[in-house]
Amino acid sequence: MLVDNDKQIEHLRERIAQAYEILATNEQAVLYASSAEELDNYEARLLSTRMRIKEWSEELADLVKQNQPLAEPTLPETAEEDTQYETAGTAFNLRDLAKTGLLPNLADNDLPELPEFIFPEDDTAPAPAISSETKPSPVEMEAPEVNESLQELQDMSSLTALDEHTFGNVDGAEVLTDFGMDPPLSDEEITPNPTETKHNIRILTEHLEQQPTRKSAETVRMGKVTAYLNRAQMYIRLTDYSSAFSDLNRAIDVMPERSNGYLERAKLYFQLKDYRRALDDLNKTIELDANIAEAFYKRGRCYFILKEYRKAVEDYTRTIELSPKDVYSYNNRSKAYLYLNDDKNAIADASKAIELNPNDPYSYNNRGKAYFYLEDYRNAMTDLTRAIELAPHEAYGYNNRGRAFFYLNDYHNAIRDLTHSIDIVSDDADTFANRGMAYLNIGNHQSAIADFTQAIKLQPRNIYAYFNRARCYMDMGEYSKALEDLSFVIESNPHNVQAYYYRAHASFKLKEYWDTVVDMNFVIQSSSPNAPNLSDNLLMRGTAYYNLQDYEHALGDFTRVIELDPIDSNAYYRRARTSFYLKDYSRALQDFNKAITLNPNDVYAYNNRAKTSFMLEEFISAITDATTAIELRPDDPFGYNNRGYMYLQNQDYPTALADFNRALRLNPKDPEVLSNRAMVLQRLNKLEDSVSDLTNALEIDPNNYDLILRRARIYMQLKQFDNAHLDLNKVIKLKPKEAELYSLRGSAYYKPQDMVRALSDFNKALELNPNDPDTLYNRGVCYFRLSSFQEAVKDLSQSLALKIINSAAYKYRGKAFLSLENYRASITDLTRALELEPQDSEIVISRGIAYLHNGDYDSAIADFDQAVKEYANDPQIYFNRSKAYASVFELGKALQDIDKAIELEPNSLPALMAKAQICIQLGRFSEAVQVYSQVLKLDPENADVYEGRALCYEKLRDKKSAQRDVALAKKFRKGK
């Protein structure tokens, strides 16, 4: 990088470059001089140009020495080298990983805890993934934290290596200076004036077109070769590579036995990154002349780029044999040795380079890296610091020392050096990624994410940056973003075990348990030495299976963990819970016993063993364990909630209420405890208080299906049907395919007699579940209320076919048959209903009416006698029994019952008319006239009443009154 006198240095470089072009032109002109005078003139020009070049070069050397001139910094061999690790799924050298000892930085609990199991009423509740900073849900039993053993996870959790591919192209470096070991004034750095270059090309072209007059054929051929080679160099400076290749090919065609044409063409192939063709030409060059150091040097570079490091070492060795003081060959061979893991020879070559040039920063840089690989950190830091002192304005020294600080866990100094590197070279992706890792290790996630994002921006397929950005997102709880980055890593490298491992964790946090199982399958099946601990993986996969309610597979995984580690209390604990859900309570109890033996202070094991004992009806043991859990953690609301639930199930409601109250004092906003207390209050018939608790719970968890449904049911008990409708509308929105909900809402509409809406909901419920006997019964009753008796009989019959014992279905079908005048069928159904519900007087009344209409008057009277005991003030019973007595000619009893009916309902027209008929049968015509007259007060235009009274008048020989009533009867009958 140019400093202090940079403008003057650059100016001298340009002048020297132009002088070389003039020199090449004059050398060619000498071959074509047409006279001695012209020849002398060109030779004088040659001498003058050479002198100027020497003078300017010395001046340039002085200026560069003053400014600490540097050979090109250590660069990747090619742009391809920058990405050579991407396809392998890592952005760094695996040798570095073995040195780091770094572990993936997930939280301790990244194998989330199992969901706490609850009693059957709530056993569908999902299992939360519990963080180490979150208290367990009082309704769910949190497991002890899992000790993540991730010491083998080293393939992506450290920095990119102290390696060439991470340095980027430092300012002023051309890709040909692959190791930064070429002389500072390589051809690639010279950028002469394009106009001058084009002018010189024209001069060379003119000379090539002339015919030489004074030279031998051999001299002419050599002159042409020189001209073609010089003109090719000029074309290269103008990036006219096609013309350059044409001239190089011509030079080879003119003198195929000479090596220089092949060498120059190889250099152009190298510049264009066509290394295989460059190798072909270099091989030909060496075949023609085995003593050209540059050919071996260039071929060594090709082999290095193609990762054939041993061949590179051989060629650099041959270069050194031909040029023993060539610093660049020692340095490049040192780097090749680094790639061959031959750190001692790397140090020897770097030391030799330092001996030859004590002020060469690259030699210190290479030796510092080799020392680092040998874990000689003191010498490594000394050399890297010396490299920075010699090249304070170059990025690579800060970059490498920054990474060395990182491996020494000195993250703040690492950040400082990497920041210096970025200030100098701001477009190197790996430097940003490495600084991001340092930020990650000091917990500065925002800065780490910013650096990883910038690395991705600079190198869109940098999976190292994607992976570690995902780690940041994991630490910050942004699991969806982590999942997206990890999926990109896996897409880029489908065999990256660690990416699958972390993605499994992210999926678990997002409750995507099947995705967790799929990714963890890959991790478990992998034979990678970097795979996480097998027990931890099995524990996580088992937990995912558990949350998917695939208890058999969960049981298998937890059993394998126990086989691998027989004293893993957590594995026993989880297997116990799995056995609990499989209703194998005895086995669950055994495993809880083992877990408690291994960890006597495990609160969650006591709580779960308490529930297991409760299921085994060992109530005293259950309460003892629950109390022990409370004693171990008296400020944990879960213990009180757990014990309260047991008291609730044992119907000890006051004690249960006391425990739930304690739990809520510790955590007033726990929806599960509020839900449980609401249940107790409901059992104590404190329905308003129960609704209040459910409402408070729903403020915390507004979309909790079970809580909304329970509140709707209580609203129905309270006959608050509008509120019930609102809650049922919500749960139907949450589960629109749940037939039971429509049936329940239909019942809510039925209760306030909104039969049309009730019928619509019952229809929807049966559309979703055509064979639900309860809904068929409900719709049958609804049809009955709507007087659709045939439809009622059909639904009730189907309900009875699906559900044998249902007294209400027999009752309503019997009443429907009664309305359809199918009295025998009615009597049969009502008799069956009475067998099931012998105290239901309504059934007795209906059957009495059926007996009455079927002519079985004695049975009718018997049923009415039974009914009147319970319903002594029901006028209909007396009315119907009166009809039965009249039918068997017990007119006195009939009159007595009809009088009682009229007494209870004085304005009942049917009862008054029936009494009039009984009086006529008894010959009490005057009394009958009085009854008819009473009826006419209520219905003055009733023709039948006039006719009846007329008959009575005739019997009383009151013809005038009889004629008057007959006339009135005709009048009103005609009017109708």
Side-chain angles (χ1 to χ4, degrees), residues 849-863:
I849 295 170
Y851 278 134
L852 177 63
H853 287 291
N854 200 46
D856 187 348
Y857 304 119
D858 291 335
S859 295
I861 291 169
D863 278 350

Side-chain angles (χ1 to χ4, degrees), residues 784-795:
F784 178 84
R785 297 296 184 195
L786 291 169
S787 300
S788 298
F789 302 117
Q790 292 287 4
E791 287 82 357
V793 167
K794 180 180 178 182
D795 276 355

Side-chain angles (χ1 to χ4, degrees), residues 329-348:
S329 295
Y330 281 109
N331 257 326
N332 283 351
R333 190 171 69 175
S334 173
K335 295 182 70 175
Y337 279 133
L338 285 174
Y339 275 97
L340 290 169
N341 301 334
D342 188 348
D343 300 321
K344 291 184 179 180
N345 273 324
I347 289 172

Side-chain angles (χ1 to χ4, degrees), residues 536-602:
D536 291 339
N537 299 336
L538 289 168
L539 209 57
M540 168 169 261
R541 188 176 69 178
T543 305
Y545 277 130
Y546 178 96
N547 289 332
L548 290 168
Q549 299 180 17
D550 184 349
Y551 300 122
E552 293 294 343
H553 278 102
L555 200 66
D557 277 352
F558 297 144
T559 299
R560 285 185 63 192
V561 175
I562 291 169
E563 291 169 356
L564 291 168
D565 185 1
I567 60 171
D568 188 333
S569 64
N570 198 18
Y572 285 105
Y573 171 79
R574 297 182 186 221
R575 189 172 73 174
R577 295 175 59 183
T578 307
S579 296
F580 184 97
Y581 273 111
L582 289 170
K583 301 187 186 315
D584 189 348
Y585 303 121
S586 296
R587 182 176 179 181
L589 190 62
Q590 291 175 5
D591 278 348
F592 282 131
N593 290 341
K594 184 68 174 178
I596 290 171
T597 299
L598 292 169
N599 185 4
N601 294 320
D602 187 345

Side-chain angles (χ1 to χ4, degrees), residues 25 103 119 177 227 257 303 309 361 501 515 532 552 585 601 855 906:
T25 304
L103 304 179
F119 280 84
T177 58
E257 71 279 10
Y303 281 133
Y309 302 120
Y501 175 82
D515 290 341
E552 293 294 343
Y585 303 121
N601 294 320

Side-chain angles (χ1 to χ4, degrees), residues 830-849:
L830 294 170
T831 299
R832 177 62 174 144
L834 275 171
E835 291 172 357
L836 299 170
E837 295 289 342
Q839 303 304 317
D840 191 337
S841 297
E842 184 184 349
I843 300 174
V844 174
I845 294 169
S846 296
R847 190 176 67 173
I849 295 170

